[in-house]
Amino acid sequence: IRSGTARHWKNGNVHKKRQPRQTTESTEENERCRSVAGGEDEIGAEWKRHWQSWRGFKPESSNVYRIVEAEVAVSHLPPSQARAIVQPEAAGVSSIVQGLSELELESDTEARLSSILRSNGVKEFNFKRVPSDYYDWPLEARRDALAAPSVHHLCKSIVLVNTQAQSNVADCSDPNNSKYYVVVVQYSARFNAESVKNFLYSLNDGKIAKKKFNLRLAPEETSVKLTGYEHNAVTCIGMKTDIPVILDEAITKLNPDFFWLGGGDVDLKLGIRTSDFINSVKPFIVRCSGS
């Protein structure tokens, strides 16, 4: 970022002129040195716009401003020495550029899931980012962060595997007798795998022996492979695999008719009306938890 533009960020430097460098090295070398600090004026303006979009932006504490300060401070040095001083600050900005790209990538998750929900006729839903240490908090603090009516409105999606499935059951092609299921249950409730086992036995009219149903938590790598979402980010919307979903009956009785679950990123949560979730995902509704 050339100081000609960036100096406007600090009062008192607007009218200062850069002193000519005392060097015998070529003009081409000087220009290369300037490029370490950022490039053309329009790039400086673009960086200013990016940085000012961040909450609590303070030019005097930013890496960008430090580059400008460094460039002014070394303007009298030969380019080779000036570069050695300015380059570490420029490297810091490179990491910021990468961070911005990651944020843009994360926002793609929200856009993709929003598109899926709208295409399924869901109009009322909400995404909310939470701090990185969210899962270290007690349920009451998580409730407050999401402005949820109660801790019972906080839910999770877990991937289960039928470890005793028949040898010909290896995927999710038959929702009545699938190798894997996703269960949505409240954080405040105790999941009861035996209830799911009994439900699946009845769903198949008793034609499959009850001992062929044994639901256990799937390994994390299996969950990631099937859903496309990492631990604490799993959601039933937009999964890689069309896994049958089981919704705990207790969630359908929540008042108000709205609950929170994972949103595809660890720090992204999705709030949705229970009725809209049921119409969109079409889960089995099973009483599979206790307090």
Side-chain angles (χ1 to χ4, degrees):
I1 301 168
R2 290 183 63 181
S3 59
T5 295
R7 273 200 302 272
H8 288 274
W9 298 7
K10 182 180 180 183
N11 293 332
N13 281 340
V14 176
H15 302 295
K16 288 184 179 179
K17 293 184 178 180
R18 181 198 296 255
Q19 295 298 319
R21 293 181 177 176
Q22 304 299 318
T23 177
T24 58
E25 295 188 44
S26 67
T27 301
E28 180 181 358
E29 182 69 12
N30 289 343
E31 289 302 320
R32 282 201 298 270
C33 180
R34 289 192 187 95
S35 70
V36 174
E40 300 300 326
D41 287 344
E42 55 267 25
I43 297 177
E46 181 66 19
W47 263 109
K48 182 179 178 182
R49 286 193 294 272
H50 276 302
W51 273 97
Q52 287 179 330
S53 67
W54 285 67
R55 181 184 297 178
F57 168 71
K58 295 180 180 179
E60 64 272 18
S61 63
S62 71
N63 284 26
V64 178
Y65 182 75
R66 288 201 302 272
I67 291 177
V68 176
E69 287 281 84
E71 186 188 3
V72 172
V74 302
S75 61
H76 65 287
L77 297 176
S80 58
Q81 295 179 28
R83 185 184 299 109
I85 295 174
V86 176
Q87 201 158 15
E89 298 295 348
V93 170
S94 296
S95 66
I96 295 168
V97 173
Q98 182 180 357
L100 287 171
S101 298
E102 290 173 354
L103 285 175
E104 291 172 358
L105 180 62
E106 290 175 355
S107 67
D108 288 345
T109 300
E110 183 175 338
R112 183 176 69 87
L113 298 188
S114 295
S115 177
I116 293 172
L117 288 167
R118 291 191 184 99
S119 67
N120 289 336
V122 180
K123 297 180 180 179
E124 293 187 44
F125 56 88
N126 185 26
F127 285 98
K128 188 164 186 177
R129 294 278 172 190
V130 295
S132 58
D133 60 347
Y134 172 85
Y135 284 102
D136 295 330
W137 299 356
L139 291 180
E140 291 77 12
R142 300 185 204 177
R143 172 202 61 199
D144 295 343
L146 296 173
S150 74
V151 296
H152 307 302
H153 288 74
L154 308 179
C155 303
K156 58 184 175 181
S157 304
I158 56 177
V159 179
L160 302 181
V161 55
N162 184 0
T163 61
Q164 297 298 319
Q166 297 164 301
S167 58
N168 63 328
V169 178
D171 55 25
C172 305
S173 56
D174 181 2
N176 291 355
N177 186 24
S178 176
K179 179 73 173 179
Y180 303 96
Y181 288 91
V182 172
V183 176
V184 182
V185 65
Q186 297 160 300
Y187 274 100
S188 60
R190 182 183 303 169
F191 174 64
N192 188 338
E194 192 69 20
S195 297
V196 176
K197 174 181 178 177
N198 293 334
F199 168 76
L200 294 175
Y201 175 73
S202 300
L203 187 64
N204 288 275
D205 299 321
K207 296 177 181 179
I208 301 174
K210 187 175 287 190
K211 65 180 181 181
K212 291 298 180 180
F213 298 105
N214 186 48
L215 283 301
R216 291 291 181 266
L217 189 66
E220 185 174 346
E221 58 271 21
T222 301
S223 176
V224 172
K225 181 179 179 180
L226 292 172
T227 66
Y229 304 120
E230 60 181 305
H231 181 60
N232 287 335
V234 178
T235 187
C236 306
I237 313 300
M239 294 185 292
K240 279 187 175 181
T241 308
D242 188 15
I243 311 174
V245 177
I246 295 174
L247 179 69
D248 185 18
E249 183 183 66
I251 298 174
T252 67
K253 299 178 180 180
L254 288 172
N255 185 22
D257 171 36
F258 192 93
F259 69 98
W260 289 89
L261 70 163
D265 291 330
V266 174
D267 64 343
L268 185 63
K269 304 304 158 197
L270 166 63
I272 187 171
R273 287 191 177 279
T274 312
S275 52
D276 286 338
F277 179 87
I278 293 172
N279 292 334
S280 174
V281 178
K282 296 178 173 53
F284 295 114
I285 299 176
V286 182
R287 185 177 182 180
C288 57
S289 71
S291 56

